[in-house]
Amino acid sequence: MAELQIPELLYGADYNPEQWDEQTFEEDLKLMQEAGVNMVSLGIFSWAKLEPEEGRYDFDWLVGYMDRLHETGIMVDLATGTASPPVWLARNYPETLPMNAQGQVLGFGSRQQYVPASLIFREKCAGLVRALAERVKDHPALKLWHVSNEYGCHIFESFDPVTIQAFQTWLAKRYQNIEALNHTWNTNFWSQHYQDFSQVGAPDSLPTFHNPAHRLDWRRFSSDMLIECLENEVQALREVTPEIPITTNFMGLFPPIDYWKMAQHLDLISDDTYPDPTDRNSALRVAMDGDLMRSLGGGKPYLLMEQTTAGVQWRPEGNAVKRPGTHLLWSTSRLASGARGILYFQWRQSPGGAEAMHSAMVPHSGKASYIWDEVCEHGRLLKDLSALGSENQEQLDLTTLPVEAKVAIVLDWEALWAAASSIGPADIDVQKQLRNWYKTCYEAGQRVDFVRPGDDLSRYQVVIVVAQMATSQGLEASLTSATEAGAQVIITAPFGVYDQDLRVHLGGYHGPFSRFTGVKVTDVLPKTTAPCEDLADNDPRTDRITSVIYTPGYNEPILIRAHGPLSEILPDFDLAEESQIKGGVWAERVQLENESVKVLAEFAPNGAVGQLAGSPALTVNPCGKGQVWYSATDLDNLGRALLLELVGQEAGLLQPDWLPAGLEIAERGGYVFYLNHGELTQTLPEPVMDLVSGETVDTIEPRQTVIVRN
Ligand code: GAL
């Protein structure tokens, strides 16, 4: 693996000098120096200029820009340009154009119009990439390869004939013989039996429900096709420029691609981030995506490849602009979670095209905009931090500093696809539940590593497994490593209904995993949110019968009563004893599998699942040297916070004692980051020397960032 050996924090943006005249380019070089920019991403959508006609390459213009950038001290993250194929590919090879599930071909005139499974597309990519790499391999500005751009962002599956054939080949390789597929997909149901792989189609545009296992394999396949596109380019690059590290930009927790699998082909993880500033969850998303990126890179620092200075132009619900301070706040949150540089989309706001109204480092009005001041402030801070790091202080070098987490959340893309492919009985939004559990950790001041089933989890104090309706291969080994080392493991429902291929664990859900949870699930009560008022209007004159029928589950919470140690921590949360924790989405009747399982909370007689009254809602089972806590419903904010508090106590998890409203406090090596996401000024426990303002401060204003040496 090649390493990015640059001792400074990176600062810069996507840059398209070819869209501007020479004079603007010269001005840009000056402005970049003024702002402290030291890296730009070139050529991301430049295929049409790099290969204007099939097989005729033109790299001179690009090398010209690279020369001048290098002379100015600016490094290049060079894109392979394959994210937006030129018109000749669409016209000469129309089979490279993707098709949607309704059978419509998606044409040329936007971007990303390619079929990931197309061998012609891949061959043309490899041709361009190899020729480009040969041309620039010794160029001193070349520091990083940026393969394609946001794989799958627009097209993550295609239903064209080439793809369907590739799917059949993929299935034949996976199952070897068709009866193995028939067994896994349970095709005796609804007469879906296949005699040959060539008979299998795509699981969409069907009269009614698809076969869940068919859909799951389709998602695995579609993810694999995009990963193969990456591999195709990576292979050419590694052959020609083995020392230049390779990245491609991820998009946070992006469901279509198994990023664990994709990350294995990369030297550096990078991320693009566009949270909506009006969303109250945006700060936690910034932190969560940061934790995810660091985790995908095995704990190594990652690069923030794209963010905005102010606003975007593409959000249908409205394009709110970041408030003053938010921009720096989110950047420093990224440094706290392990970033080794901050880049933007884009350097100069476009003069035309679909993204003309998207913010940039240099706005349409140039230096007159307040944005320019913020951009320069950012640059100065990163420069100062780089200088601190290079003064031979390992503890302060943010380009290499690790981040320590004691809590791990298991994340498995296959389990996300399995939940989305399965049909009912409740709508399980696993991503939302994962985010909720992340939120609970974030609010409690805990940094989180995301981990993959199969990983050794022995170094974590708390491990959380969220709504894994389908158990993954490797999960058993991971849970064993955690519990044998003494970890506290939280597992939440729905769990272990299916195996990794969506075959039900018969004889009580959890199947073999009940040795961890200590329970088996005998019955399920999905909560529905459909309004019963549609039919029954509660008016005795018109609804003589319907108005008196009580249908539990309709728009009512699942209520839980805590007892034992869980109820003992209620006062810490300023709660009266009768306060109830709520659940949602799904509740289960569980059967205790051994005598050492303790019940911490039960379902209450009222609420959506009143018929489960008295049945355990939260249990804990001793396992190895640790314990496994099982929640038989999706807990609300309060329930999760209480459970984490209790579990944290058992785990000996260091819980910060100063957590004022709105403040994210994060440590990374020799730094402490104070990030005030709230609207109130907070007083710090003691005056500190702030590296951002260069002054001693004892308060922190709304949306202010304070960074201090630990
Ligand atoms: C990203 C993309 C950029 C730009 C940006 C606008 O998804 O990689 O090229 O389109 O969005 O927000």
Side-chain angles (χ1 to χ4, degrees):
M1 292 254 136
E3 289 285 332
L4 186 66
Q5 280 162 340
I6 300 171
E8 304 144 59
L9 290 168
L10 302 173
Y11 190 51
D14 284 18
Y15 184 39
N16 307 294
E18 72 275 22
Q19 295 173 16
W20 299 91
D21 58 21
E22 195 55 29
Q23 196 188 339
T24 314
F25 176 59
E26 290 302 326
E27 187 194 341
D28 280 341
L29 295 178
K30 289 199 191 84
L31 290 177
M32 284 181 191
Q33 283 177 305
E34 193 177 329
V37 163
N38 57 11
M39 177 174 268
V40 290
S41 305
L42 284 188
I44 295 181
F45 300 105
S46 304
W47 191 344
K49 218 171 146 54
L50 295 168
E51 190 179 359
E53 284 164 40
E54 187 174 352
R56 181 170 71 78
Y57 301 117
D58 177 4
F59 303 138
D60 290 348
W61 62 271
L62 179 76
V63 173
Y65 290 127
M66 289 174 73
D67 291 345
R68 291 286 290 121
L69 285 161
H70 180 64
E71 284 160 24
T72 318
I74 296 166
M75 299 172 278
V76 171
D77 160 37
L78 186 58
T80 57
T82 52
S84 202
V87 71
W88 59 255
L89 190 81
R91 301 296 177 250
N92 299 355
Y93 305 97
E95 65 273 38
T96 61
L97 291 172
M99 186 180 279
N100 67 17
Q102 291 70 43
Q104 281 169 324
V105 174
L106 307 174
F108 180 84
S110 172
R111 66 174 174 184
Q112 218 174 79
Q113 70 291 342
Y114 61 81
V115 168
S118 161
L119 296 184
I120 293 177
F121 166 70
R122 292 188 198 170
E123 181 197 311
K124 301 297 161 198
C125 288
L128 169 64
V129 170
R130 189 175 293 276
L132 178 62
E134 287 289 355
R135 176 64 196 272
V136 298
K137 66 180 178 207
D138 297 319
H139 201 288
L142 176 66
K143 297 294 177 205
L144 179 64
W145 281 115
H146 182 305
V147 177
S148 189
N149 191 67
E150 293 189 343
Y151 274 114
C153 165
H154 309 299
I155 304 294
F156 57 86
E157 56 185 357
S158 176
F159 299 87
D160 63 282
V162 168
T163 301
I164 290 174
Q165 212 179 6
F167 183 44
Q168 293 161 352
T169 309
W170 183 93
L171 289 169
K173 196 165 161 213
R174 182 177 179 89
Y175 291 101
Q176 305 290 325
N177 75 67
I178 195 70
E179 286 315 326
L181 175 145
N182 281 314
H183 171 75
T184 305
W185 289 13
N186 200 36
T187 54
N188 283 337
F189 179 78
W190 281 356
S191 193
Q192 289 171 357
H193 189 268
Y194 297 98
Q195 285 93 27
D196 193 90
F197 289 106
S198 63
Q199 296 169 324
V200 184
D204 249 300
S205 290
L206 306 172
T208 181
F209 297 120
H210 56 264
N211 177 323
H214 183 183
R215 178 105 193 116
L216 173 59
D217 271 338
W218 174 261
R219 298 210 57 174
R220 287 171 170 149
F221 158 78
S222 299
S223 167
D224 277 0
M225 291 305 100
L226 289 164
I227 295 171
E228 283 182 12
C229 286
L230 171 82
E231 273 184 275
N232 174 48
E233 296 193 27
V234 164
Q235 200 186 346
L237 293 174
R238 290 240 161 88
E239 278 170 31
V240 186
T241 55
E243 300 86 39
I244 303 295
I246 299 174
T247 192
T248 187
N249 39 354
F250 287 170
M251 292 163 280
L253 205 181
F254 180 64
I257 304 177
D258 183 343
Y259 275 168
W260 292 120
K261 230 173 164 182
M262 196 173 236
Q264 287 170 348
H265 301 285
L266 301 170
D267 301 303
L268 175 72
I269 300 298
S270 61
D271 190 31
D272 294 355
T273 185
Y274 295 95
D276 182 346
T278 63
D279 176 2
R280 286 163 75 174
N281 292 314
S282 51
L284 94 87
R285 288 182 111 123
V286 170
M288 175 168 164
D289 290 349
D291 280 350
L292 176 58
M293 293 304 133
R294 185 191 67 248
S295 304
L296 287 167
K300 282 199 303 193
Y302 68 93
L303 181 61
L304 185 71
M305 183 64 86
E306 285 184 25
Q307 66 165 348
T308 59
T309 50
V312 300
Q313 93 299 2
W314 44 256
R315 207 170 258 127
E317 61 277 19
N319 296 304
V321 168
K322 290 176 182 170
R323 295 174 72 188
T326 304
H327 172 198
L328 189 67
L329 201 60
W330 291 0
S331 297
T332 43
S333 170
R334 289 303 194 137
L335 293 179
S337 65
R340 54 107 63 241
I342 306 286
L343 277 66
Y344 295 81
F345 177 82
Q346 60 179 330
W347 167 250
R348 196 178 262 283
Q349 192 168 13
S350 307
E355 293 180 330
M357 295 313 293
H358 191 292
S359 67
M361 293 174 92
V362 183
H364 285 149
S365 61
K367 289 170 74 170
S369 164
Y370 79 97
I371 290 175
W372 180 251
D373 300 333
E374 288 203 349
V375 161
C376 294
E377 187 192 358
H378 256 65
R380 265 193 307 277
L381 175 64
L382 295 187
K383 222 180 203 148
D384 290 353
L385 292 172
S386 292
L388 263 180
S390 61
E391 285 159 15
N392 66 46
Q393 305 196 31
E394 252 177 49
Q395 274 300 295
L396 295 177
D397 183 0
L398 288 167
T399 67
T400 53
L401 258 186
V403 174
E404 232 195 287
K406 296 283 169 221
V407 179
I409 295 182
V410 175
L411 172 61
D412 181 17
W413 264 266
E414 297 222 357
L416 291 180
W417 302 331
S421 304
S422 74
I423 294 163
D427 200 4
I428 308 294
D429 185 343
V430 185
Q431 254 181 289
K432 184 167 163 213
Q433 294 191 34
L434 278 166
R435 213 157 27 233
N436 281 340
W437 270 102
Y438 183 86
K439 170 192 158 70
T440 300
C441 301
Y442 177 72
E443 300 276 1
Q446 294 297 340
R447 197 89 249 168
V448 171
D449 276 351
F450 287 91
V451 292
R452 179 183 190 174
D455 284 352
D456 175 359
L457 305 184
S458 54
R459 69 192 181 86
Y460 295 102
Q461 284 168 276
V462 175
V463 173
I464 309 176
V465 182
V466 182
Q468 267 213 240
M469 200 165 183
T471 49
S472 348
Q473 237 168 2
L475 184 62
E476 204 168 339
S478 291
L479 294 180
T480 304
S481 69
T483 48
E484 278 179 3
Q488 303 294 321
V489 178
I490 298 174
I491 300 182
T492 75
F495 174 71
V497 175
Y498 300 108
D499 70 8
Q500 69 273 7
D501 291 318
L502 286 172
R503 300 276 313 194
V504 170
H505 283 302
L506 298 172
Y509 305 145
H510 293 201
F513 287 83
S514 62
R515 84 173 169 87
F516 296 105
T517 57
V519 302
K520 274 198 173 166
V521 178
T522 60
D523 304 278
V524 163
L525 274 87
K527 174 175 156 8
T528 162
T529 48
C532 61
E533 287 74 21
D534 283 353
L535 281 175
D537 214 5
N538 284 340
D539 182 339
R541 287 167 307 177
T542 57
D543 299 357
R544 185 179 59 84
I545 297 174
T546 49
S547 68
V548 299
I549 295 176
Y550 170 57
T551 315
Y554 279 75
N555 283 340
E556 282 179 77
I558 293 169
L559 298 178
I560 295 167
R561 280 206 183 128
H563 41 84
L566 193 64
S567 64
E568 278 157 29
I569 58 170
L570 292 179
D572 294 354
F573 280 75
D574 270 341
L575 289 174
E577 225 167 85
E578 67 276 10
S579 289
Q580 276 176 320
I581 303 164
K582 297 189 188 66
V585 187
W586 169 289
E588 297 166 341
R589 192 186 303 277
V590 300
Q591 169 183 297
L592 310 187
E593 290 292 285
N594 66 64
E595 281 168 10
S596 38
V597 183
K598 280 202 240 75
V599 177
L600 296 167
E602 61 188 41
F603 290 106
N606 47 345
V609 294
Q611 61 266 55
L612 285 185
S615 178
L618 259 177
T619 54
V620 58
N621 181 40
C623 189
K625 293 195 193 106
Q627 303 188 95
V628 178
W629 308 69
Y630 184 68
S631 151
T633 183
D634 174 33
L635 294 172
D636 66 353
N637 283 332
L638 177 63
R640 291 193 310 275
L642 287 170
L643 184 57
L644 185 69
E645 164 108 2
L646 184 62
V647 167
Q649 283 170 11
E650 295 274 322
L653 198 65
L654 215 58
Q655 313 216 6
D657 47 9
W658 187 67
L659 285 173
L663 227 60
E664 177 181 343
I665 306 168
E667 277 186 43
R668 183 175 169 199
Y671 295 98
V672 184
F673 296 77
Y674 295 93
L675 312 172
N676 189 355
H677 297 285
E679 292 301 312
L680 294 178
T681 301
Q682 297 290 347
T683 305
L684 297 167
E686 54 185 9
V688 291
M689 175 53 206
D690 173 23
L691 297 172
V692 181
S693 60
E695 288 166 9
T696 300
V697 297
D698 55 4
T699 57
I700 177 165
E701 303 294 320
R703 294 181 302 288
Q704 189 189 342
T705 298
V706 169
I707 306 178
V708 300
R709 289 178 60 165
N710 211 346

